Amino acid sequence: MKKHPRTGVYICECGHNIGGVVDVKKVTEYAKTLPPVVVARYNKYTCSELGQSSIAKDIRDHKLERVVVASCSPSLHEHIFQKVLEGSGLNPYLFEMVNIREQCSWVHHNEPEKATEKAKDLVRAAVMRATLLEPLEKPTKSVEKSALVIGGGIGGISAALYLANNGVKTYLVEKEPSIGGHMAMLDKTFPTLDCSLCILSPRMVEVRQNPNIELLANSDVVEISGSVGDFRVKIKKRPRFVDPDKCVACGACSAKCPTKVKDDFNFGFSERKAIYIPFPQAVPNCYLIDKNNCLYLNKGVCRICEKTCERKAIDFNQKEEVIELKAGAIVVATGFDLFDASEKKQYGYKCYPNVISNLDFERLINASGPTDGKLKRPSDGKSPQSVAFIQCVGSRDKNTASYCSRVCCMITVKQALLIKEKYPETEVFVYYTDMRTPGKNFEEFYEKARSKGVVFIRGKPGEITESAESRLRILAEDIDSGILLDNEIDLVVLAAGLRPPKELRDLAQKLHASLSPDGFLAEAHPKLHPTETNIDGVFLAGCVQFPKDIPDTVATAGNAAAGVLNLLNKDRIEAESITAWVDIKKCSGCGSCILVCPYDAISLDEDGKAVVDEIVCKGCGSCVATCLSGAIQQRHYTDKQLISQLKALLKDGKV
Amino acid sequence: MKAISSNKKTELDTTFRSRVIEHLGGENLGACFQCGTCSASCPIQLIDERYNPRKIIRRALLGSKDVLSEDFIWLCVNCYSCYERCPQDVRVTEVINAIKNLAVEDGIVHPSLVKLIEVLKERGTTYEVGKLENQKRERLGLPIIDKKSDDIKKILDKK
Amino acid sequence: MRYAFFIGCTTPVRALNYELSTRKVAEKLGVELVDVPEFSCCGFPLKALSDERALAIAVNNLAIAEEKGLDVCTVCSACASFLTEANRQFKENKAFRKIAENILKELGRTYSGKVVVKHFARVLYEDVGIEKIRKNIKKPLALNVAVHYGCHYLKPSRIYKKFDDPEAPKTLDELVAVTGAKSVDYGKKKQCCGGGILGINEQIALTLSKEKLDDVKNSKADAMVLICPFCSIMYDVNQRKIESNFETEYRIPVLYYPQLLGLALGLKKEELSFDINRVKVDSLLERLK
């Protein structure tokens, strides 16, 4: 008779979560009948102090060699129990956790008898697998003392400054030619009505001046490999055709440039030249040439900018640069895209000239915008006598995005107040479904708007139609009074919602990070780990996780930076122990494993056999599943261990 | 819960709300958050303000069972504008139709429906195709129609 | 392109011009419309009585078509939407499917959900295609027309897998454009005809139609073009009544799309039976000569 290792089994009731469906007493009695089991208990909360110490005591008293806990998902508490083993002198990998909650009691809550039988089967399989577990050592790896921040809006800027001021070499990558993000487009911020660029600009300058920050603007992240502590990133820097070391942003080139293009920064309400600076306070404070519209780059003629520039800063030979860097941790702060309101055809965006979006409005009311801050109707440049805001455009709408974009109510209240401040005679209406103004000083801000005469109408319009002189007709029920309202308005502002940035899907794939069902980047835990992702070493900040306002973006950026510092301040971090290894006798050198490894952990040695870098390997198992020769095995999940588990599961109760 | 207003005191019945939700078409009633898009899009509401789809849905949500005896519930023209624009996929047209069906179940049948049912059971189509009609058809070279269908009678009479 | 021809209740009695022109245009363009005498009313008028039974009536019609191995082509928009919705409910709503199958069993039928339902205008747009129609145009029409889509041809868009956009529809405008006629824009283009409540409240129904006719009049279109017999009852048959109830004048000819297309395809006037159109079309036809 084979001598089994002495095994302890602990069945958890988890309050009612498991105990309310599975008969833990029966499962415990059953466990006692399994040959390797010398002690079996059930408790209400095994992860508690009491539960943990009872395991520790049993390890001592019963000289246990294996421990099996049947409770919730290992992703929650496996590490806690592994620590209990370690504390009692047992190797933590001699521990097996069985999920009888998410995979049993929670999904079979309508069939308690069958759930109990299933729990028994799962415990039996785990006990038999545990007999084949082997002790493993936890390797450690060094940590690259640098960080990569992707996205240069207020979130990315805050995270980068926080890190840099703590001595961390930080790479800040931004796709646009200047950092600043959406905040640089705003006029004022709620609820203080601070001038947006006035509070942002000093931080942008700090970024430029900080010796620990290397700013890579006009750049894209092309490739990410490696893992926590040693990410390897490839960045592509697109050419500006202007030398930033020479350019002083005097603007002489732009004045002479003959090509006019619609200015994207002002959403097409004004024009810029083919050589331009996105906005005066841009960082880097350097001009750039729009290669799609430059006469020289497309047709080989002109070059007036080159002739005009006294500092000889124009360089048409500038090429794309590929930069390879290493980072110990990554912060994703790529912000949001505004919902394209033309998807809601009934509101006439991009169809009727006097229907604009909330961001369009920010540019129009901005003193450095296309109309010098004067509110003008796009159709005739006249000042509107009446303005109507429509809330929840694209948000809280199962046809487009069912979530609430959180900030649009406050943005509208702000914009309504700005109108009343500059044009007290202009009528302002807000058509809303709910006014959401939680937050410090937000309710007072809303009250201010009401007392200044902004008319809030609870009632969403069905459609907007155009009438004479490009005025807009809005029909909506004023629900609070039950009166149907027919309004003719000079300018309509659609409060468009916030959507995940369109490049996010691609970036998430490069990071192996998950997206939430709403399309935003998924946090590791919505309550307790709001700035971590499911990938070690990858953090998130700002709207890339979900719409939020500036203070929340800055707060999450700080939290993410703290997470990075936590990591980078360690001399060594634990590497994965459940790594893959190659039996070179079986390896044919086909290289399939190399192709599937997401971490670039496998290479071919001088004999043409695959070898796994165990420090880099994250134990995902892709290579193990791919290997056609069965030459790669994964520690803690060897074929033998898995097969014994399957056999026990299928043996119908007999072991 | 009671509804207290100037001229009537009615008992609100939450089982009525469930009745609507359990009826074919009424499934998504609970999603409504009273934004008013349906009323704003309704062509009938502009002509007869007594017909207000949002209010009808509201009464169903509150369990105001007496909505079944209101004469205006029959005014929905089935244009589907509300259904199309509703941000919560309530399927307003179908919910209001479910309310009409519940009225019928409670014995309130609009008179126009009574004659219709008779006619459809008898011949299977709403208009009669008699000798005169067939003569017109023949003159135009169209095939004559002489078959009646009793499928509708069978379907309506089935328990 | 072979379809079971679902003529519905109204067309074969009150819109013979629509039926005739449809058959002639179909013949010209290679669409075979097979008559199925077993069809009953689609069930839509009984929806207010019992959605369940009405949809079962619709499913029964689909089962009849499936027995004959045919997809269904309708000329009435309400039939199109109701049969399409019945198909969808049958396939997606388990509870309804069970009820429908029980009812079908009593009638000795089964249905497996395979039948495709299309309005004739959609058959022209998708199966025949604009280009093939264009090749067959003999006499491009110099006309301004006000296109009336009606409601059930477009909505609810989800049951039609968003084949056209109710907020900015274009398929019918394109079908009109290929005849050479110009589709004019007018205010209440998306408005319902009101036909659904003609029997419930005539005044409201006629008011809805009147609003549309006012806008069509202002647009100075030569005619209205539509694809549903009930819309035609409102705008054509009842035009006089609206004129007298509201003390106004229109004299706007109302054509069925196949009549318009038929003209452009070079079909003879007699094959399009304009004499049945209530508002006289004579002066319009004169202008086209």
Side-chain angles (χ1 to χ4, degrees):
Chain A
M1 233 306 256
K2 206 167 25 164
K3 185 170 180 288
H4 292 298
R6 300 169 64 77
T7 307
V9 176
Y10 301 87
I11 317 291
C12 188
E13 281 188 275
C14 194
H16 273 292
N17 278 305
I18 297 173
V21 177
V22 172
D23 187 339
V24 297
K25 232 175 158 175
K26 277 203 178 130
V27 180
T28 311
E29 291 310 305
Y30 173 73
K32 286 185 184 155
T33 68
L34 301 168
V37 177
V38 299
V39 62
R41 297 185 202 288
Y42 65 89
N43 26 35
K44 230 178 174 66
Y45 298 102
T46 313
C47 53
S48 67
E49 186 84 53
L50 205 62
Q52 290 183 45
S53 45
S54 91
I55 297 178
K57 187 168 188 295
D58 280 348
I59 294 176
R60 276 197 321 270
D61 293 351
H62 293 272
K63 297 193 185 22
L64 295 181
E65 296 166 287
R66 300 285 186 278
V67 173
V68 173
V69 170
S71 61
C72 53
S73 164
S75 63
L76 282 167
H77 297 315
E78 181 173 55
H79 60 285
I80 292 179
F81 294 118
Q82 284 176 324
K83 276 207 176 70
V84 172
L85 268 74
E86 264 182 308
S88 308
L90 260 189
N91 185 286
Y93 291 91
L94 300 175
F95 170 73
E96 176 72 4
M97 192 143 173
V98 189
N99 186 340
I100 58 168
R101 191 181 75 172
E102 284 87 336
Q103 291 181 4
C104 191
S105 68
W106 273 3
V107 291
H108 304 304
H109 58 91
N110 286 330
E111 297 174 294
E113 285 100 34
K114 284 189 176 171
T116 304
E117 288 309 302
K118 179 173 174 178
K120 285 185 194 169
D121 290 340
L122 290 173
V123 167
R124 175 178 71 250
V127 165
M128 296 322 290
R129 171 183 145 86
T131 62
L132 291 177
L133 291 175
E134 304 207 353
L136 293 175
E137 291 316 310
K138 277 215 186 117
T140 57
K141 64 182 191 180
S142 61
V143 182
E144 197 62 48
K145 301 279 183 239
S146 58
L148 168 67
V149 176
I150 309 177
I154 182 63
I157 290 170
S158 304
L161 285 172
Y162 200 105
L163 290 169
N165 288 334
N166 271 281
V168 175
K169 162 105 184 140
T170 309
Y171 299 96
L172 179 56
V173 174
E174 166 56 51
K175 70 173 193 254
E176 297 293 333
S178 167
I179 53 174
H182 283 102
M183 193 174 168
M185 296 174 166
L186 305 179
D187 179 32
K188 306 273 198 312
T189 56
F190 61 74
T192 49
L193 293 179
D194 283 315
C195 153
S196 186
L197 215 43
C198 304
I199 56 175
L200 176 64
S201 198
R203 306 234 79 198
M204 288 166 64
V205 174
E206 260 188 82
V207 164
R208 184 177 60 71
Q209 291 175 335
N210 195 308
N212 278 331
I213 297 182
E214 189 170 322
L215 175 56
L216 300 163
N218 218 37
S219 305
D220 307 299
V221 171
V222 173
E223 213 180 275
I224 303 176
S225 59
S227 63
V228 60
D230 65 352
F231 288 107
R232 274 153 278 158
V233 187
K234 222 182 252 183
I235 313 273
K236 209 191 288 187
K237 201 173 186 184
R238 284 171 268 122
R240 285 177 183 261
F241 306 107
V242 176
D243 186 344
D245 291 329
K246 296 196 179 133
C247 175
V248 292
C250 68
C253 53
S254 198
K256 287 278 183 352
C257 174
T259 309
K260 288 199 180 135
V261 183
K262 276 219 182 307
D263 189 351
D264 278 340
F265 194 75
N266 285 328
F267 300 110
F269 285 113
S270 63
E271 286 176 327
R272 56 155 170 85
K273 299 294 182 68
I275 185 165
Y276 70 107
I277 193 164
F279 53 96
Q281 305 89 334
V283 166
N285 205 232
C286 173
Y287 273 63
L288 76 152
I289 296 179
D290 171 5
K291 73 174 200 288
N292 292 330
N293 288 291
C294 166
L295 282 174
Y296 179 66
L297 290 170
N298 284 296
K299 300 199 178 124
V301 296
C302 187
R303 299 179 88 147
I304 287 181
C305 52
E306 199 179 30
K307 296 184 196 116
T308 312
C309 181
E310 285 180 354
R311 314 240 331 153
K312 305 265 176 280
I314 313 288
D315 177 7
F316 284 110
N317 293 319
Q318 215 179 64
K319 297 266 177 295
E320 190 181 82
E321 230 185 292
V322 175
I323 298 153
E324 293 195 25
L325 53 87
K326 285 205 185 120
I330 300 176
V331 177
V332 181
T334 51
F336 66 89
D337 275 350
L338 195 71
F339 170 72
D340 181 359
S342 56
E343 270 184 54
K344 299 296 285 180
K345 292 207 176 73
Q346 57 263 53
Y347 294 141
Y349 186 61
K350 296 228 169 101
C351 196
Y352 309 137
N354 294 324
V355 175
I356 61 175
S357 75
N358 39 8
L359 257 186
D360 293 337
F361 180 92
E362 281 293 325
R363 294 313 301 156
L364 289 179
I365 203 86
N366 196 317
S368 42
T371 57
D372 296 326
K374 294 191 184 43
L375 191 58
K376 292 183 178 172
R377 300 170 83 218
S379 65
D380 55 12
K382 292 206 183 110
S383 185
Q385 305 288 66
S386 55
V387 181
F389 291 84
I390 316 288
Q391 298 307 106
C392 301
V393 174
S395 310
R396 302 185 72 193
D397 184 341
K398 289 182 182 158
N399 297 312
T400 49
S402 50
Y403 55 82
C404 165
S405 291
R406 198 177 170 111
V407 294
C408 322
C409 283
M410 282 302 286
I411 293 175
T412 290
V413 169
K414 171 192 76 173
Q415 294 178 337
L417 279 169
L418 291 176
I419 297 175
K420 282 294 188 188
E421 188 179 55
K422 284 190 181 175
Y423 307 94
E425 300 307 313
T426 299
E427 285 190 300
V428 180
F429 302 94
V430 176
Y431 289 84
Y432 70 94
T433 303
D434 290 290
M435 279 310 288
R436 295 184 161 175
T437 59
K440 192 160 180 174
N441 294 320
F442 286 13
E443 189 60 40
E444 294 82 343
F445 198 59
Y446 176 29
E447 201 269 318
K448 195 163 156 192
R450 299 195 306 272
S451 57
K452 291 267 188 246
V454 175
V455 179
F456 288 91
I457 298 168
R458 191 162 68 87
K460 207 168 178 191
E463 63 175 352
I464 294 176
T465 49
E466 210 179 26
S467 46
E469 288 168 54
S470 296
R471 305 188 79 211
L472 293 323
R473 185 176 178 218
I474 303 178
L475 256 172
E477 194 194 352
D478 178 79
I479 293 171
D480 294 335
S481 68
I483 300 172
L484 203 59
L485 302 174
D486 189 351
N487 213 347
E488 215 175 61
I489 299 285
D490 286 341
L491 179 70
V492 168
V493 182
L494 302 176
L498 276 53
R499 307 245 56 215
K502 60 184 175 302
E503 308 91 355
L504 183 59
R505 194 159 274 276
D506 213 53
L507 180 62
Q509 245 176 358
K510 294 189 168 83
L511 289 164
H512 312 293
S514 311
L515 295 180
S516 312
D518 53 25
F520 289 98
L521 198 54
E523 61 290 298
H525 190 282
K527 294 287 190 191
L528 300 177
H529 301 288
T531 60
E532 293 166 51
T533 63
N534 62 322
I535 304 294
D536 283 342
V538 176
F539 300 85
L540 43 73
C543 291
V544 72
Q545 182 252 357
F546 192 76
K548 51 177 69 66
D549 61 6
I550 293 164
D552 284 350
T553 296
V554 171
T556 49
N559 192 279
V564 172
L565 287 172
N566 210 17
L567 196 59
L568 265 44
N569 281 337
K570 297 191 163 77
D571 284 323
R572 297 185 74 77
I573 53 171
E574 273 173 16
E576 192 53 65
S577 24
I578 308 180
T579 48
W581 92 91
V582 181
D583 180 348
I584 54 171
K585 292 199 292 296
K586 292 186 184 161
C587 174
S588 66
C590 72
S592 309
C593 51
I594 299 176
L595 292 172
V596 299
C597 177
Y599 303 100
D600 286 346
I602 313 182
S603 52
L604 288 179
D605 64 14
E606 55 264 7
D607 299 319
K609 302 281 184 183
V611 60
V612 178
D613 181 341
E614 281 160 30
I615 296 300
V616 179
C617 173
K618 290 291 279 177
C620 73
S622 303
C623 56
V624 181
T626 306
C627 179
L628 297 162
S629 328
I632 305 189
Q633 286 292 305
Q634 183 162 12
R635 294 183 174 90
H636 206 62
Y637 290 97
T638 60
D639 286 349
K640 240 177 146 184
Q641 289 162 350
L642 291 172
I643 289 169
S644 81
Q645 189 169 10
L646 277 171
K647 273 187 173 165
L649 203 55
L650 298 167
K651 252 195 173 156
D652 208 24
K654 301 179 200 65
V655 278
Chain B
M1 184 157 69
K2 283 190 174 58
I4 306 172
S5 53
S6 58
N7 54 0
K8 44 186 176 183
K9 284 180 172 40
T10 20
E11 191 70 39
L12 294 168
D13 180 3
T14 41
T15 64
F16 175 64
R17 181 191 156 127
S18 317
R19 250 184 104 194
V20 177
I21 291 177
E22 281 155 26
H23 194 281
L24 181 63
E27 299 88 0
N28 290 358
L29 172 69
C32 173
F33 57 22
Q34 293 284 295
C35 65
T37 302
C38 50
S39 291
S41 306
C42 179
I44 305 295
Q45 150 86 159
L46 286 172
I47 300 173
D48 184 349
E49 63 173 13
R50 285 164 56 244
Y51 179 76
N52 182 323
R54 178 195 59 84
K55 282 192 183 162
I56 294 174
I57 302 285
R58 187 67 191 156
R59 286 173 73 172
L61 282 169
L62 286 176
S64 165
K65 190 174 162 189
D66 52 9
V67 72
L68 294 180
S69 47
E70 298 282 15
D71 59 350
F72 53 69
I73 61 173
W74 305 96
L75 290 178
C76 170
V77 74
N78 272 269
C79 74
Y80 285 99
S81 301
C82 51
Y83 181 132
E84 192 64 29
R85 290 194 178 146
C86 173
Q88 288 294 299
D89 197 30
V90 172
R91 308 202 186 168
V92 183
T93 317
E94 310 299 17
V95 177
I96 294 184
N97 195 71
I99 290 171
K100 290 179 194 172
N101 287 177
L102 291 179
V104 168
E105 275 178 31
D106 282 5
I108 306 168
V109 188
H110 192 276
S112 66
L113 271 180
V114 178
K115 185 73 192 195
L116 186 66
I117 296 163
E118 239 181 75
V119 151
L120 281 172
K121 274 197 196 180
E122 196 263 306
R123 58 182 180 232
T125 54
T126 54
Y127 292 109
E128 189 183 356
V129 189
K131 226 164 88 175
L132 205 63
E133 284 76 28
N134 271 322
Q135 276 174 358
K136 283 195 199 151
R137 292 180 67 78
E138 265 186 309
R139 268 205 298 272
L140 289 171
L142 293 169
I144 60 165
I145 294 170
D146 56 4
K147 232 178 164 177
K148 279 192 189 171
S149 169
D150 62 353
D151 285 350
I152 293 187
K153 180 177 194 328
K154 288 192 186 138
I155 293 172
L156 290 182
D157 284 345
K158 178 177 155 68
K159 284 283 156 281
Chain C
M1 288 178 279
R2 203 166 171 256
Y3 283 89
F5 193 25
F6 195 94
I7 25 176
C9 299
T10 312
T11 307
V13 177
R14 301 185 69 178
L16 295 179
N17 45 357
Y18 191 20
E19 187 184 335
L20 185 63
S21 54
T22 297
R23 288 186 193 268
K24 293 294 177 190
V25 164
E27 205 185 311
K28 189 79 198 267
L29 295 172
V31 178
E32 194 189 334
L33 297 174
V34 179
D35 284 288
V36 179
E38 293 91 332
F39 281 149
S40 69
C41 167
C42 71
F44 176 72
L46 290 172
K47 190 177 160 181
L49 173 84
S50 163
D51 204 4
E52 200 178 86
R53 294 294 161 113
L55 286 170
I57 292 168
V59 172
N60 182 47
N61 282 308
L62 294 173
I64 291 170
E66 193 177 74
E67 264 168 27
K68 301 198 188 292
L70 292 169
D71 286 331
V72 168
C73 170
T74 75
V75 280
C76 166
S77 299
C79 294
S81 85
F82 203 65
L83 292 171
T84 306
E85 173 69 2
N87 232 354
R88 188 191 73 83
Q89 288 276 9
F90 189 82
K91 287 188 272 204
E92 294 175 20
N93 185 336
K94 285 201 189 88
F96 170 71
R97 185 176 179 133
K98 232 173 158 182
I99 292 169
E101 282 174 339
N102 274 336
I103 289 177
L104 284 180
K105 203 151 73 167
E106 288 236 342
L107 275 74
R109 293 196 176 101
T110 56
Y111 181 54
S112 66
K114 290 211 199 76
V115 173
V116 171
V117 178
K118 276 193 191 179
H119 189 289
F120 183 61
R122 194 172 167 181
V123 170
L124 290 176
Y125 190 82
E126 286 185 341
D127 295 21
V128 179
I130 296 281
E131 285 320 306
K132 177 160 177 198
I133 298 176
R134 198 191 303 279
K135 289 199 181 85
N136 280 283
I137 300 290
K138 298 268 179 347
K139 278 178 19 169
L141 308 170
L143 278 180
N144 289 331
V145 302
V147 176
H148 168 74
Y149 281 82
C151 298
H152 295 210
Y153 175 69
L154 296 168
K155 294 176 279 191
S157 62
R158 69 152 43 77
I159 70 172
Y160 295 122
K161 308 252 171 17
K162 309 210 177 200
F163 131 84
D164 200 354
D165 184 351
E167 301 292 353
K170 63 177 176 51
T171 56
L172 215 47
D173 290 289
E174 284 181 37
L175 283 171
V176 162
V178 76
T179 68
K182 179 161 174 281
S183 165
V184 302
D185 221 356
Y186 61 99
K188 291 218 157 33
K189 186 165 176 173
K190 297 191 275 192
Q191 172 130 312
C192 173
C193 70
I197 52 166
L198 189 61
I200 309 248
N201 185 318
E202 190 184 88
Q203 183 59 16
I204 295 179
L206 293 180
T207 307
L208 276 176
S209 288
K210 173 216 184 273
E211 288 176 357
K212 168 92 71 165
L213 287 169
D214 282 345
D215 268 9
V216 172
K217 182 178 174 184
N218 288 337
S219 78
K220 308 245 187 322
D222 299 314
M224 261 183 90
V225 168
L226 38 76
I227 50 167
C228 175
F230 231 90
C231 294
S232 182
I233 285 178
M234 298 305 292
Y235 298 124
D236 187 28
V237 175
N238 277 309
Q239 199 176 115
R240 248 326 162 79
K241 194 174 208 174
I242 296 172
E243 281 177 336
S244 81
N245 279 13
F246 294 93
E247 288 171 10
T248 178
E249 197 184 82
Y250 302 113
R251 305 250 186 95
I252 298 171
V254 178
L255 302 178
Y256 284 103
Y257 176 70
Q259 289 183 307
L260 187 80
L261 180 58
L263 281 174
L265 291 174
L267 294 178
K268 294 198 279 284
K269 255 177 36 198
E270 300 69 48
E271 297 178 291
L272 305 170
S273 58
F274 287 108
D275 49 325
I276 296 178
N277 291 44
R278 208 59 85 80
V279 176
K280 292 289 153 245
V281 187
D282 299 343
S283 48
L284 188 84
L285 295 174
E286 270 305 307
R287 240 183 301 153
L288 285 175
K289 279 221 179 82

